[in-house]
Amino acid sequence: FSWNLDGESGSMPISLLEAGGCEGVQGNQLIDGNWYDPGRSGFGYDINSYPGLETMLAYLYDGKGQARWLQAVRERSASLGGTASLPLLQLQGSCPLCSYSNTTGHEVGALSRRYNTPTSGELEIDVQFRAPVPGSWSQDTPIQMLTDPRSCH
């Protein structure tokens, strides 16, 4: 991974973490990919599912319109039709232009999701950012997969 930010450049190695298999819904159809509300572009979700683990990153905006992301993790497999609630964490730690610091997470809200099909669903998110990040974010919206669905073989 290489970057050029504010006139400074750098790079760091990034490796794919293998989760030991894939977890599908409705047979072998994966829900892994980027999701969004087609009626309101500009924010969305990255969803990954593994045997016994579901992870999400929410891409959204703080009270000043600055892009932010939050992490949600659930230690169970994703299911079709069922609603699941996941706590949202605001993470803080190192960045490309910062001195190293351990990553810490603070719960700032919840995300509830329901997959109606492997490529569509509903998502409700309610966040109150932790200082020094200003503002809140709240949406209750239909979502659909933006990326092509993958098959689990």
Side-chain angles (χ1 to χ4, degrees):
F1 174 69
S2 297
W3 66 86
N4 186 333
L5 299 169
D6 296 330
E8 294 188 45
S9 298
S11 64
M12 60 189 269
I14 294 181
S15 300
L16 174 66
L17 294 176
E18 180 55 49
C22 52
E23 182 72 27
V25 294
Q26 265 188 349
N28 290 330
Q29 185 70 51
L30 290 182
I31 57 169
D32 297 18
N34 297 106
W35 293 67
Y36 79 121
D37 174 356
R40 291 184 281 181
S41 64
F43 65 94
Y45 311 91
D46 182 55
I47 299 174
N48 291 287
S49 178
Y50 308 99
L53 181 67
E54 181 179 3
T55 67
M56 296 185 178
L57 290 178
Y59 301 94
L60 37 79
Y61 298 92
D62 67 17
K64 291 187 176 181
Q66 178 71 38
R68 302 288 180 175
W69 59 270
L70 302 172
Q71 179 188 47
V73 177
R74 186 173 81 109
E75 292 187 15
R76 282 193 295 212
S77 298
S79 62
L80 198 61
T83 300
S85 183
L86 294 83
L88 282 162
L89 298 178
Q90 179 178 322
L91 301 176
Q92 184 174 341
S94 293
C95 67
L97 302 180
C98 305
S99 298
Y100 177 80
S101 65
N102 288 329
T103 300
T104 59
H106 302 279
E107 190 170 330
V108 293
L111 176 150
S112 295
R113 62 94 186 122
R114 176 185 175 95
Y115 301 115
N116 298 324
T117 73
T119 58
S120 69
E122 302 160 34
L123 191 137
E124 182 178 353
I125 186 171
D126 191 22
V127 173
Q128 180 64 50
F129 290 105
R130 185 172 190 262
V133 178
S136 61
W137 180 270
S138 184
Q139 298 285 325
D140 188 353
T141 184
I143 57 170
Q144 75 179 41
M145 188 178 279
L146 177 63
T147 53
D148 290 334
R150 296 184 300 157
S151 293
C152 181
H153 300 290

